[in-house]
């Protein structure tokens, strides 16, 4: 059963040069206790689509149309006061860089205790005890000592664990993780991913995991939404993404072959997707990926393909979703 469902979401930003369509018709769902990985290059709309769920947009940003159904309610219809009750309680966020998310002048105890005091009505003493318990849950050694420390006294991995503890304080139904392992080394990254998987199982929390690293997605996601230029270009289960499939989007194919492999000869260059993401105010007329696609035809340049179901559990936004068909065009 879907806990969250984005339906044809459009999130725009007003700028001096025009309207930027950062999210332009995004649809995907997250089932209870499952993880969806949202991947794509910088500027693809990954974070904006997720922040739209909590209406955490810059002052010039707004939801133009679409629905965000969460637990039976359309979040786009809620007032700011009603959203306060949802943020941190039903839906929490782990941001990319914990050092900029944690307040440097407050102790860990004070910051992690806020959700308990605000949403659960605990007093300071009760919240302080709960903080130590949560820090222990995220595998922080000596949690009673760490609780009294300040963010600058902790390592990057420890700060990220504190952010996870804060996000899971009220046992939210949905957790949005916005590139939470980007600034960490691979060893700590693996520990954080294992921790998130363990906590997901323990609390039955659904997760939206935003990243540009497909290797991370393989370790944590059940389904994958590949985004490009504010649109979902492929939506399928994680197994399909990482194995040979009859269907795929050329952009997904490009991302996969650009991943370094241990068996790649040292003198062989990695394949790379040519070109760059188009400027958001100068998007192509047809398929947004056509200028960079080696399979593009005249039809691709002039018509925009819809996101279509190619088989059970897989949707692709491409006129030549079947690999045989697009190879035949060349």
């Amino acid at each position: 059963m879907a806990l969250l469902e984005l339906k044809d979401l459009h999130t725009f930003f007003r700028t001096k040069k025009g309207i930027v369509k950062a999210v332009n018709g995004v649809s995907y769902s997250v089932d209870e206790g499952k993880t969806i990985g949202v991947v794509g290059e910088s500027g693809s709309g990954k974070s904006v689509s997720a922040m739209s769920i909590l209406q955490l947009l810059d002052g010039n940003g707004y939801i133009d149309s679409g629905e965000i159904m969460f637990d039976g309610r359309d979040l786009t219809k809620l007032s700011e006061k009603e959203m306060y009750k949802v943020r941190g309680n039903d839906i929490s966020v782990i941001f990319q860089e914990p050092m900029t998310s944690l307040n440097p002048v407050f102790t860990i105890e004070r910051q992690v205790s806020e959700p308990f005091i605000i949403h659960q009505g605990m007093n300071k003493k009760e919240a302080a005890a709960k903080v130590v318990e949560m820090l222990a849950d995220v595998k922080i050694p000596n949690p009673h000592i760490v609780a009294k420390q300040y963010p600058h006294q902790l390592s990057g991995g420890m700060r990220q664990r504190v952010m996870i503890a804060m996000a899971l304080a009220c046992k939210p139904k949905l957790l949005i993780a916005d590139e939470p392992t980007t600034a960490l080394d691979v060893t700590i990254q693996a520990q954080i991913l294992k921790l998130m998987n363990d906590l997901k199982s323990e609390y039955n929390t659904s997760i939206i995991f935003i990243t540009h690293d497909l290797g991370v997605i393989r370790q944590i996601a059940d389904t994958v939404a590949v985004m490009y230029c504010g649109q979902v270009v492929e939506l399928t289960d994680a197994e399909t993404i990482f194995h040979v499939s009859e269907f795929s989007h050329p952009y997904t194919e490009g991302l996969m072959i650009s991943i370094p492999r241990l068996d790649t000869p040292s003198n062989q260059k990695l394949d790379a997707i040519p070109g760059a993401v188009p400027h958001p105010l100068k998007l192509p007329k047809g398929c947004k990926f056509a200028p960079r696609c080696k399979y593009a035809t005249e039809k691709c340049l002039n018509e925009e393909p819809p996101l279509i179901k190619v088989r059970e559990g897989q949707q692709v936004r491409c006129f030549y979703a079947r690999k045989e068909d697009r190879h035949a065009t060349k």
Side-chain angles (χ1 to χ4, degrees):
M1 179 180 176
L3 173 69
L4 173 82
E5 190 172 1
L6 273 60
K7 299 181 179 180
D8 198 28
L9 179 67
H10 293 74
T11 301
F12 300 162
F13 291 85
R14 297 183 184 90
T15 70
K16 292 180 180 179
K17 294 185 178 181
I19 301 295
V20 173
K21 298 179 178 180
V23 174
N24 197 14
V26 167
S27 299
Y28 63 74
S29 61
V30 189
D31 291 338
E32 293 183 10
K34 298 294 184 180
T35 299
I36 183 170
V38 183
V39 300
E41 292 170 276
S42 297
S44 62
K46 307 185 301 294
S47 296
V48 174
S49 62
M51 293 304 108
S52 297
I53 296 168
L54 288 174
Q55 299 179 28
L56 293 176
L57 301 170
D58 290 338
N60 63 333
Y62 62 97
I63 296 174
D64 183 72
S65 62
E67 296 181 348
I68 303 173
M69 301 303 299
F70 174 73
D71 208 15
R73 293 187 296 173
D74 185 357
L75 298 184
T76 64
K77 301 291 192 293
L78 299 188
S79 65
E80 186 66 17
K81 186 177 181 180
E82 290 172 317
M83 285 303 301
Y84 281 140
K85 297 177 182 178
V86 174
R87 297 178 188 137
N89 194 30
D90 294 323
I91 305 176
S92 287
V93 184
I94 303 172
F95 294 102
Q96 181 174 346
E97 178 46 66
M99 196 58 189
T100 58
S101 303
L102 294 170
N103 193 319
V105 301
F106 294 140
T107 63
I108 299 302
E109 179 182 280
R110 176 165 176 177
Q111 297 184 66
V112 180
S113 65
E114 281 187 0
F116 297 117
I117 295 171
I118 294 172
H119 294 297
Q120 298 187 10
M122 294 184 183
N123 59 41
K124 289 184 178 180
K125 185 177 180 180
E126 292 171 332
K130 196 68 177 175
V131 167
V132 173
E133 183 182 318
M134 284 303 302
L135 294 180
D137 283 349
V138 295
K139 307 296 187 293
I140 288 181
N142 304 315
H144 58 288
I145 296 175
V146 172
K148 302 297 182 182
Q149 294 181 321
Y150 292 86
H152 72 272
Q153 295 176 281
L154 308 181
S155 66
M158 292 274 275
R159 287 194 293 265
Q160 196 60 280
R161 288 172 189 267
V162 169
M163 287 296 298
I164 295 172
M166 191 184 302
L168 294 174
C170 296
K171 298 183 180 178
K173 297 176 182 178
L174 176 67
L175 179 64
I176 299 172
D178 190 1
E179 303 199 37
T181 60
T182 299
L184 305 176
D185 64 60
V186 291
T187 304
I188 302 301
Q189 184 182 89
Q191 293 174 5
I192 295 296
L193 292 175
K194 182 180 185 304
L195 172 64
M196 292 186 68
N197 275 326
D198 292 344
L199 293 172
K200 180 181 76 169
S201 301
E202 182 179 346
Y203 296 119
N204 195 39
T205 301
S206 301
I207 300 175
I208 297 176
F209 198 98
I210 302 165
T211 184
H212 59 267
D213 188 339
L214 282 165
V216 170
I217 287 297
R218 189 167 195 170
Q219 297 179 55
I220 199 165
D222 299 298
T223 57
V224 181
V226 182
M227 290 190 66
Y228 187 80
C229 285
Q231 297 177 326
V232 173
V233 296
E234 184 164 356
L235 183 63
T236 186
D237 59 276
E239 286 299 311
T240 300
I241 288 283
F242 291 102
H243 291 83
V244 177
S245 172
E246 183 182 359
F247 304 93
S248 79
H249 192 279
Y251 180 57
T252 308
E253 180 183 294
L255 291 176
M256 293 303 301
I257 63 176
S258 64
I259 298 174
R261 295 172 55 92
L262 291 175
D263 57 358
T264 302
S266 59
N267 61 344
Q268 181 179 324
K269 289 185 177 180
L270 282 173
D271 288 313
I273 301 173
V277 178
H279 192 282
L281 291 173
K282 296 178 182 179
L283 294 176
K285 177 184 175 183
C287 173
K288 303 298 179 281
F289 186 62
R292 306 175 68 188
C293 182
K294 59 185 176 182
Y295 307 113
T297 64
E298 195 69 27
K299 182 178 182 180
C300 302
L301 296 171
N302 294 299
E303 299 177 35
E304 186 168 354
L307 185 66
I308 59 170
K309 180 179 178 181
V310 294
R311 68 173 184 82
E312 192 62 40
Q314 185 176 17
Q315 299 176 59
V316 180
R317 189 183 296 275
C318 182
F319 292 122
Y320 308 103
R322 189 188 299 273
K323 293 179 180 178
E324 286 184 7
D325 294 343
R326 61 176 176 247
H327 285 290
T329 65
K330 295 297 174 185

